Coordinates of all heavy atoms in Angstrom, one line a residue:
M1 N 82.5 97.6 110.0 CA 83.2 97.3 108.7 C 82.7 95.9 108.3 O 82.6 95.0 109.0 CB 84.7 97.2 108.9 CG 85.4 96.7 107.7 SD 87.2 96.7 107.9 CE 87.6 98.2 107.1
K2 N 82.3 95.8 107.0 CA 81.8 94.6 106.4 C 82.9 94.0 105.5 O 83.4 94.7 104.6 CB 80.5 94.8 105.6 CG 79.3 95.2 106.4 CD 78.0 95.2 105.6 CE 78.1 96.3 104.5 NZ 76.8 96.5 103.8
I3 N 83.2 92.8 105.7 CA 84.2 92.1 104.9 C 83.7 90.9 104.3 O 83.0 90.1 105.0 CB 85.5 91.8 105.8 CG1 86.1 93.1 106.3 CG2 86.5 91.0 105.0 CD1 87.3 92.9 107.2
L4 N 84.0 90.6 103.0 CA 83.7 89.4 102.4 C 85.0 88.6 102.3 O 86.0 89.1 101.7 CB 83.1 89.6 101.0 CG 82.9 88.4 100.1 CD1 81.9 87.4 100.8 CD2 82.4 88.7 98.8
I5 N 85.0 87.4 102.8 CA 86.2 86.6 102.8 C 86.0 85.4 101.9 O 85.0 84.6 102.2 CB 86.6 86.1 104.2 CG1 86.8 87.3 105.2 CG2 87.9 85.3 104.2 CD1 87.0 86.9 106.6
M6 N 86.7 85.3 100.9 CA 86.6 84.1 100.0 C 87.9 83.3 100.3 O 89.0 83.6 99.8 CB 86.6 84.6 98.5 CG 85.3 85.2 98.2 SD 85.1 85.5 96.4 CE 85.4 87.3 96.3
C7 N 87.6 82.2 101.0 CA 88.8 81.4 101.5 C 88.4 79.9 101.5 O 87.3 79.6 102.0 CB 89.2 81.9 102.9 SG 90.6 81.0 103.5
G8 N 89.2 79.1 101.1 CA 88.9 77.6 101.1 C 89.6 76.8 102.2 O 89.4 75.7 102.3
D9 N 90.5 77.5 102.9 CA 91.3 76.8 104.0 C 90.7 77.2 105.4 O 90.8 78.3 105.8 CB 92.7 77.2 103.9 CG 93.6 76.5 104.8 OD1 93.2 76.1 106.0 OD2 94.8 76.2 104.5
P10 N 90.1 76.2 106.1 CA 89.5 76.5 107.4 C 90.4 77.1 108.4 O 90.1 78.0 109.2 CB 88.9 75.2 107.8 CG 88.9 74.3 106.6 CD 89.9 74.8 105.7
Q11 N 91.7 76.7 108.4 CA 92.6 77.2 109.4 C 93.0 78.7 109.1 O 93.1 79.5 110.0 CB 93.9 76.3 109.5 CG 94.8 76.7 110.6 CD 94.1 76.7 112.0 OE1 93.5 75.7 112.4 NE2 94.3 77.7 112.8
V12 N 93.3 78.9 107.8 CA 93.6 80.3 107.4 C 92.4 81.2 107.7 O 92.6 82.3 108.3 CB 93.9 80.4 105.9 CG1 94.0 81.8 105.4 CG2 95.2 79.6 105.6
L13 N 91.2 80.7 107.5 CA 90.0 81.5 107.8 C 89.9 81.8 109.2 O 89.6 83.0 109.6 CB 88.8 80.8 107.3 CG 87.4 81.4 107.6 CD1 87.3 82.8 106.9 CD2 86.3 80.5 107.2
K14 N 90.1 80.8 110.1 CA 90.0 81.0 111.5 C 91.0 82.0 112.0 O 90.6 82.9 112.8 CB 90.2 79.6 112.2 CG 90.2 79.7 113.7 CD 90.4 78.3 114.3 CE 90.5 78.3 115.8 NZ 90.9 77.0 116.3
D15 N 92.2 81.9 111.6 CA 93.3 82.8 112.0 C 93.0 84.2 111.5 O 93.2 85.2 112.2 CB 94.6 82.4 111.5 CG 95.1 81.1 112.1 OD1 94.5 80.6 113.2 OD2 96.0 80.4 111.6
L16 N 92.6 84.4 110.3 CA 92.3 85.7 109.7 C 91.2 86.4 110.4 O 91.3 87.5 110.8 CB 91.9 85.5 108.2 CG 91.6 86.7 107.4 CD1 92.8 87.7 107.4 CD2 91.2 86.4 106.0
V17 N 90.1 85.7 110.7 CA 88.9 86.2 111.4 C 89.3 86.7 112.8 O 89.0 87.7 113.3 CB 87.7 85.3 111.4 CG1 86.6 85.8 112.4 CG2 87.2 85.1 110.0
L18 N 90.1 85.9 113.5 CA 90.6 86.2 114.8 C 91.4 87.5 114.8 O 91.1 88.4 115.6 CB 91.4 85.1 115.4 CG 92.1 85.3 116.8 CD1 91.0 85.5 117.8 CD2 93.0 84.2 117.1
C19 N 92.3 87.6 113.9 CA 93.1 88.8 113.8 C 92.2 90.1 113.5 O 92.4 91.1 114.1 CB 94.2 88.7 112.8 SG 95.5 87.5 113.2
L20 N 91.3 89.9 112.6 CA 90.5 91.0 112.2 C 89.5 91.4 113.3 O 89.3 92.6 113.6 CB 89.6 90.7 111.0 CG 90.4 90.6 109.7 CD1 89.6 90.0 108.6 CD2 90.9 92.0 109.3
K21 N 89.0 90.5 114.1 CA 88.1 90.8 115.2 C 88.9 91.5 116.3 O 88.3 92.3 117.0 CB 87.5 89.5 115.8 CG 86.3 89.1 114.9 CD 85.6 87.9 115.6 CE 84.3 87.6 114.9 NZ 83.6 86.5 115.6
I22 N 90.1 91.2 116.5 CA 90.9 91.9 117.5 C 91.0 93.4 117.1 O 90.9 94.3 118.0 CB 92.3 91.3 117.7 CG1 92.2 89.9 118.3 CG2 93.3 92.2 118.5 CD1 93.5 89.1 118.3
R23 N 91.2 93.7 115.9 CA 91.4 95.1 115.4 C 90.1 95.8 115.2 O 90.0 97.0 115.5 CB 92.2 95.0 114.1 CG 92.3 96.4 113.4 CD 93.1 97.4 114.3 NE 93.3 98.6 113.6 CZ 92.5 99.7 113.8 NH1 91.5 99.6 114.6 NH2 92.8 100.8 113.1
Y24 N 89.1 95.1 114.7 CA 87.8 95.7 114.4 C 86.7 95.0 115.2 O 86.2 94.0 114.8 CB 87.5 95.6 112.9 CG 88.5 96.2 112.0 CD1 89.5 95.4 111.4 CD2 88.6 97.6 111.9 CE1 90.4 96.0 110.6 CE2 89.6 98.2 111.1 CZ 90.5 97.4 110.4 OH 91.4 97.9 109.6
Q25 N 86.3 95.6 116.4 CA 85.4 95.0 117.2 C 84.0 94.9 116.6 O 83.2 94.0 116.9 CB 85.2 95.7 118.6 CG 86.4 95.5 119.5 CD 87.7 96.2 119.1 OE1 87.6 97.3 118.6 NE2 88.8 95.7 119.4
N26 N 83.6 95.8 115.7 CA 82.3 95.8 115.1 C 82.4 95.1 113.7 O 81.6 95.5 112.8 CB 81.8 97.2 114.9 CG 81.6 97.9 116.3 OD1 81.2 97.2 117.2 ND2 81.8 99.2 116.4
L27 N 83.3 94.2 113.5 CA 83.4 93.5 112.3 C 82.2 92.7 111.9 O 81.7 91.9 112.7 CB 84.7 92.6 112.3 CG 85.0 91.8 111.1 CD1 85.4 92.7 110.0 CD2 86.1 90.8 111.4
E28 N 81.8 92.8 110.7 CA 80.8 91.9 110.1 C 81.4 91.2 109.0 O 82.0 91.9 108.1 CB 79.6 92.7 109.6 CG 78.8 93.5 110.6 CD 77.6 94.3 110.0 OE1 77.1 93.8 109.0 OE2 77.4 95.4 110.5
Y29 N 81.4 89.9 109.0 CA 82.0 89.2 107.9 C 81.2 88.1 107.3 O 80.4 87.5 108.0 CB 83.4 88.7 108.3 CG 83.4 87.6 109.3 CD1 83.4 86.2 108.9 CD2 83.3 87.8 110.7 CE1 83.3 85.2 109.8 CE2 83.3 86.8 111.6 CZ 83.3 85.5 111.2 OH 83.2 84.5 112.1
T30 N 81.3 87.8 106.1 CA 80.7 86.8 105.4 C 81.7 85.9 104.7 O 82.7 86.5 104.2 CB 79.7 87.3 104.3 OG1 78.7 88.1 105.0 CG2 78.9 86.2 103.7
V31 N 81.6 84.6 104.7 CA 82.6 83.7 104.2 C 82.0 83.0 103.0 O 80.8 82.5 103.1 CB 83.1 82.7 105.2 CG1 84.0 81.7 104.6 CG2 83.7 83.5 106.4
S32 N 82.8 82.8 102.0 CA 82.4 82.0 100.8 C 83.6 81.1 100.5 O 84.7 81.6 100.5 CB 82.1 82.8 99.6 OG 81.9 82.0 98.5
D33 N 83.3 79.8 100.3 CA 84.4 78.9 100.0 C 84.5 78.6 98.5 O 85.3 77.7 98.1 CB 84.4 77.6 100.8 CG 83.1 76.8 100.5 OD1 82.3 77.3 99.7 OD2 83.0 75.7 101.1
N34 N 83.8 79.4 97.7 CA 84.0 79.3 96.2 C 83.8 80.6 95.5 O 83.1 81.5 96.0 CB 83.1 78.2 95.6 CG 81.6 78.6 95.6 OD1 81.3 79.5 94.9 ND2 80.8 77.9 96.4
I35 N 84.5 80.8 94.4 CA 84.5 82.1 93.7 C 83.1 82.5 93.2 O 82.8 83.6 93.3 CB 85.5 82.0 92.5 CG1 86.9 81.8 93.1 CG2 85.4 83.2 91.6 CD1 87.4 83.0 93.9
T36 N 82.4 81.5 92.6 CA 81.1 81.9 92.0 C 80.2 82.5 93.1 O 79.5 83.5 92.8 CB 80.5 80.6 91.4 OG1 81.4 80.1 90.4 CG2 79.2 81.0 90.7
E37 N 80.0 81.8 94.2 CA 79.2 82.3 95.3 C 79.7 83.6 95.8 O 78.9 84.6 96.0 CB 79.1 81.3 96.4 CG 78.3 81.8 97.6 CD 78.5 80.9 98.8 OE1 79.5 80.3 99.0 OE2 77.5 80.8 99.6
G38 N 81.0 83.7 96.0 CA 81.6 84.9 96.5 C 81.4 86.1 95.6 O 81.0 87.2 96.1
T39 N 81.5 85.9 94.3 CA 81.2 87.0 93.4 C 79.8 87.5 93.4 O 79.5 88.7 93.4 CB 81.6 86.6 91.9 OG1 82.9 86.1 91.9 CG2 81.5 87.7 91.0
G40 N 78.9 86.6 93.6 CA 77.5 87.0 93.7 C 77.2 87.7 95.0 O 76.4 88.7 95.0
L41 N 77.9 87.4 96.1 CA 77.8 88.1 97.3 C 78.3 89.5 97.3 O 77.8 90.3 98.1 CB 78.5 87.3 98.4 CG 77.8 86.0 98.9 CD1 78.7 85.2 99.8 CD2 76.5 86.3 99.5
I42 N 79.2 89.8 96.4 CA 79.7 91.2 96.4 C 78.6 92.2 96.1 O 78.5 93.2 96.8 CB 80.8 91.3 95.3 CG1 82.0 90.4 95.7 CG2 81.2 92.7 95.1 CD1 83.1 90.3 94.6
E43 N 77.8 91.9 95.1 CA 76.7 92.8 94.8 C 75.6 92.8 95.9 O 75.1 93.9 96.2 CB 76.1 92.4 93.5 CG 77.0 92.7 92.3 CD 76.4 92.4 91.0 OE1 75.1 92.5 90.8 OE2 77.1 92.0 90.0
T44 N 75.4 91.7 96.5 CA 74.3 91.6 97.5 C 74.7 92.3 98.8 O 74.0 93.0 99.4 CB 74.1 90.1 97.9 OG1 73.7 89.4 96.6 CG2 72.9 90.0 98.8
L45 N 76.0 92.1 99.3 CA 76.4 92.6 100.6 C 77.0 94.0 100.5 O 77.1 94.6 101.6 CB 77.5 91.6 101.1 CG 77.0 90.2 101.4 CD1 78.2 89.4 101.8 CD2 75.9 90.2 102.5
S46 N 77.6 94.4 99.4 CA 78.3 95.6 99.3 C 79.4 95.8 100.4 O 79.3 96.7 101.3 CB 77.4 96.8 99.4 OG 76.5 96.8 98.3
P47 N 80.3 94.8 100.5 CA 81.3 94.9 101.6 C 82.3 96.0 101.4 O 82.4 96.6 100.3 CB 82.1 93.5 101.4 CG 81.9 93.2 99.9 CD 80.6 93.7 99.5
D48 N 82.9 96.4 102.5 CA 83.9 97.5 102.5 C 85.3 96.9 102.0 O 86.1 97.7 101.6 CB 84.1 98.0 103.9 CG 82.8 98.6 104.4 OD1 82.2 99.5 103.7 OD2 82.4 98.2 105.5
L49 N 85.5 95.6 102.1 CA 86.7 95.0 101.7 C 86.5 93.6 101.3 O 85.6 92.9 101.9 CB 87.7 95.0 103.0 CG 89.0 94.3 102.8 CD1 89.9 95.0 101.8 CD2 89.7 94.2 104.2
I50 N 87.3 93.1 100.4 CA 87.2 91.7 99.9 C 88.6 91.1 100.2 O 89.6 91.7 99.9 CB 86.9 91.6 98.4 CG1 85.5 92.2 98.1 CG2 87.0 90.1 98.0 CD1 85.3 92.3 96.6
I51 N 88.6 89.9 100.9 CA 89.8 89.2 101.1 C 89.7 87.9 100.3 O 88.8 87.1 100.5 CB 90.1 88.9 102.6 CG1 90.2 90.2 103.3 CG2 91.3 88.0 102.7 CD1 90.4 90.0 104.8
L52 N 90.6 87.7 99.4 CA 90.5 86.6 98.4 C 91.7 85.7 98.6 O 92.9 86.1 98.5 CB 90.5 87.2 97.0 CG 90.5 86.3 95.8 CD1 89.3 85.4 95.8 CD2 90.5 87.0 94.5
D53 N 91.4 84.5 98.9 CA 92.5 83.4 99.0 C 92.9 82.9 97.6 O 92.1 82.4 96.9 CB 91.9 82.3 99.9 CG 92.9 81.2 100.1 OD1 94.0 81.3 99.7 OD2 92.5 80.2 100.8
S54 N 94.2 83.1 97.3 CA 94.6 82.6 96.0 C 94.5 81.1 95.8 O 94.5 80.6 94.7 CB 96.1 83.1 95.8 OG 96.9 82.5 96.8
Y55 N 94.3 80.4 96.9 CA 94.1 79.0 96.8 C 92.8 78.6 96.0 O 92.8 77.6 95.4 CB 94.0 78.4 98.3 CG 93.6 77.0 98.3 CD1 94.6 76.0 98.1 CD2 92.3 76.6 98.7 CE1 94.2 74.6 98.2 CE2 92.0 75.2 98.8 CZ 92.9 74.3 98.5 OH 92.6 73.0 98.6
L56 N 91.9 79.5 96.0 CA 90.6 79.2 95.3 C 90.7 79.5 93.8 O 89.9 79.0 93.1 CB 89.5 80.2 95.9 CG 89.0 79.9 97.3 CD1 88.0 80.9 97.6 CD2 88.5 78.5 97.4
L57 N 91.8 80.2 93.4 CA 91.9 80.5 92.0 C 92.4 79.3 91.2 O 93.3 78.6 91.6 CB 92.8 81.7 91.8 CG 92.4 83.0 92.5 CD1 93.5 84.0 92.3 CD2 91.1 83.4 92.1
D58 N 91.8 79.1 90.1 CA 92.3 78.1 89.1 C 92.2 78.7 87.7 O 91.9 79.9 87.6 CB 91.4 76.8 89.2 CG 90.0 77.0 88.9 OD1 89.6 78.0 88.3 OD2 89.2 76.1 89.3
S59 N 92.4 77.9 86.7 CA 92.4 78.4 85.3 C 91.1 79.0 84.9 O 91.1 79.9 84.1 CB 92.9 77.3 84.4 OG 91.9 76.3 84.4
T60 N 90.0 78.6 85.5 CA 88.7 79.2 85.1 C 88.4 80.4 85.8 O 87.5 81.2 85.4 CB 87.6 78.1 85.2 OG1 87.5 77.8 86.6 CG2 87.8 76.9 84.4
T61 N 89.0 80.7 86.9 CA 88.7 81.9 87.7 C 89.9 82.8 87.9 O 89.8 83.7 88.7 CB 88.3 81.4 89.1 OG1 89.3 80.7 89.8 CG2 87.0 80.6 89.1
Q62 N 90.9 82.7 87.1 CA 92.1 83.5 87.3 C 91.8 85.0 87.0 O 92.6 85.8 87.4 CB 93.2 83.0 86.4 CG 93.0 83.0 84.9 CD 94.1 82.3 84.2 OE1 94.9 81.6 84.8 NE2 94.1 82.5 82.9
N63 N 90.8 85.3 86.2 CA 90.5 86.7 85.9 C 89.4 87.3 86.8 O 88.7 88.2 86.5 CB 90.0 86.8 84.5 CG 91.1 86.5 83.5 OD1 92.3 86.8 83.7 ND2 90.8 85.8 82.4
I64 N 89.3 86.7 88.0 CA 88.2 87.1 89.0 C 88.3 88.6 89.3 O 87.4 89.3 89.4 CB 88.2 86.2 90.2 CG1 86.9 86.6 91.1 CG2 89.4 86.3 91.0 CD1 85.6 86.3 90.4
I65 N 89.6 89.1 89.5 CA 89.7 90.5 89.9 C 89.3 91.4 88.8 O 88.6 92.4 89.0 CB 91.2 90.8 90.3 CG1 91.5 90.0 91.6 CG2 91.4 92.2 90.5 CD1 92.9 90.1 92.1
I66 N 89.6 91.0 87.6 CA 89.1 91.8 86.4 C 87.6 91.8 86.4 O 87.0 92.8 86.1 CB 89.7 91.3 85.1 CG1 91.3 91.5 85.1 CG2 89.1 91.9 83.9 CD1 92.0 90.7 84.0
S67 N 87.0 90.7 86.6 CA 85.5 90.6 86.6 C 84.9 91.4 87.7 O 83.9 92.1 87.5 CB 85.1 89.1 86.8 OG 85.6 88.3 85.8
I68 N 85.5 91.4 88.9 CA 85.0 92.2 90.0 C 85.2 93.7 89.7 O 84.3 94.5 89.9 CB 85.8 91.9 91.3 CG1 85.4 90.5 91.8 CG2 85.4 92.9 92.4 CD1 86.3 90.0 92.9
R69 N 86.2 94.1 89.1 CA 86.5 95.5 88.7 C 85.5 96.0 87.7 O 85.3 97.2 87.5 CB 87.9 95.7 88.2 CG 88.9 95.6 89.4 CD 88.8 96.9 90.2 NE 89.5 96.7 91.5 CZ 89.0 96.5 92.7 NH1 87.7 96.5 92.8 NH2 89.7 96.4 93.7
E70 N 84.9 95.1 86.9 CA 83.9 95.6 85.9 C 82.7 96.2 86.6 O 82.0 97.0 86.0 CB 83.5 94.4 85.1 CG 84.6 94.0 84.1 CD 84.2 92.8 83.3 OE1 83.1 92.2 83.5 OE2 85.0 92.3 82.5
F71 N 82.4 95.9 87.8 CA 81.2 96.4 88.5 C 81.5 97.0 89.9 O 80.6 97.5 90.5 CB 80.1 95.4 88.6 CG 80.4 94.2 89.4 CD1 80.1 94.2 90.8 CD2 81.0 93.1 88.9 CE1 80.4 93.1 91.6 CE2 81.2 92.0 89.7 CZ 80.9 92.0 91.0
S72 N 82.7 96.9 90.4 CA 83.0 97.4 91.7 C 84.4 97.9 91.9 O 85.3 97.4 91.3 CB 82.7 96.2 92.7 OG 83.1 96.6 94.0
D73 N 84.6 98.9 92.8 CA 85.9 99.4 93.1 C 86.3 99.1 94.6 O 87.1 99.7 95.2 CB 86.1 100.8 92.8 CG 85.1 101.7 93.6 OD1 84.2 101.2 94.3 OD2 85.2 102.9 93.5
I74 N 85.6 98.1 95.2 CA 85.9 97.7 96.5 C 87.4 97.2 96.6 O 87.8 96.4 95.8 CB 84.9 96.5 97.0 CG1 83.5 97.0 96.9 CG2 85.3 96.0 98.4 CD1 82.5 95.9 97.1
P75 N 88.1 97.6 97.6 CA 89.5 97.1 97.8 C 89.5 95.6 97.9 O 88.7 95.0 98.6 CB 90.0 97.8 99.1 CG 89.0 98.9 99.3 CD 87.7 98.5 98.7
I76 N 90.5 95.0 97.3 CA 90.7 93.5 97.4 C 92.1 93.2 97.9 O 93.1 93.8 97.4 CB 90.6 92.9 95.9 CG1 89.2 93.2 95.4 CG2 90.9 91.4 96.0 CD1 89.1 92.8 93.9
I77 N 92.2 92.4 98.9 CA 93.5 91.9 99.4 C 93.6 90.4 99.0 O 92.7 89.6 99.4 CB 93.6 92.0 100.9 CG1 93.5 93.5 101.3 CG2 94.8 91.4 101.4 CD1 93.5 93.8 102.8
M78 N 94.6 90.0 98.3 CA 94.9 88.6 98.0 C 95.8 88.0 99.0 O 96.8 88.6 99.3 CB 95.4 88.5 96.6 CG 94.4 88.8 95.6 SD 94.5 87.9 94.0 CE 95.0 86.3 94.4
I79 N 95.5 86.8 99.5 CA 96.4 86.1 100.5 C 96.7 84.8 99.9 O 96.1 84.3 99.0 CB 95.7 86.0 101.8 CG1 94.4 85.2 101.8 CG2 95.6 87.3 102.5 CD1 93.8 84.8 103.1

């Protein structure tokens, strides 16, 4: 399973990856700490799941899910 994690909090990221690795031993994950880079990685990596930290969202990126949906139907989990 390939997961793209867009998260700006190192502790949340550490805990999240630990939990996912326990459940999915063959987990492949890529981390981005900003929305612009993360959005570009979606097309490059073709992940099976996107985990999006709401902490990264601000007034300029609040429509990120709509933007992602314009070109992808990958499941998104917001934390």
Side-chain angles (χ1 to χ4, degrees):
M1 172 176 265
K2 292 189 297 187
I3 297 178
L4 174 60
I5 303 171
M6 290 188 254
C7 182
D9 185 327
Q11 187 61 49
V12 170
L13 176 62
K14 180 181 173 184
D15 295 342
L16 181 60
V17 169
L18 176 64
C19 291
L20 289 169
K21 281 187 169 184
I22 289 170
R23 174 64 177 93
Y24 303 101
Q25 285 78 32
N26 296 326
L27 176 69
E28 295 177 36
Y29 67 95
T30 302
V31 176
S32 174
D33 62 358
N34 70 69
I35 294 296
T36 305
E37 177 190 33
T39 304
L41 288 171
I42 294 169
E43 291 183 30
T44 306
L45 298 174
S46 298
D48 300 307
L49 175 67
I50 299 168
I51 299 177
L52 177 60
D53 181 1
S54 61
Y55 174 77
L56 292 178
L57 301 179
D58 61 20
S59 61
T60 60
T61 58
Q62 62 187 15
N63 294 322
I64 188 64
I65 294 175
I66 294 169
S67 299
I68 293 170
R69 286 290 168 251
E70 289 177 356
F71 65 88
S72 174
D73 61 351
I74 298 168
I76 300 171
I77 296 175
M78 289 210 38
I79 56 171

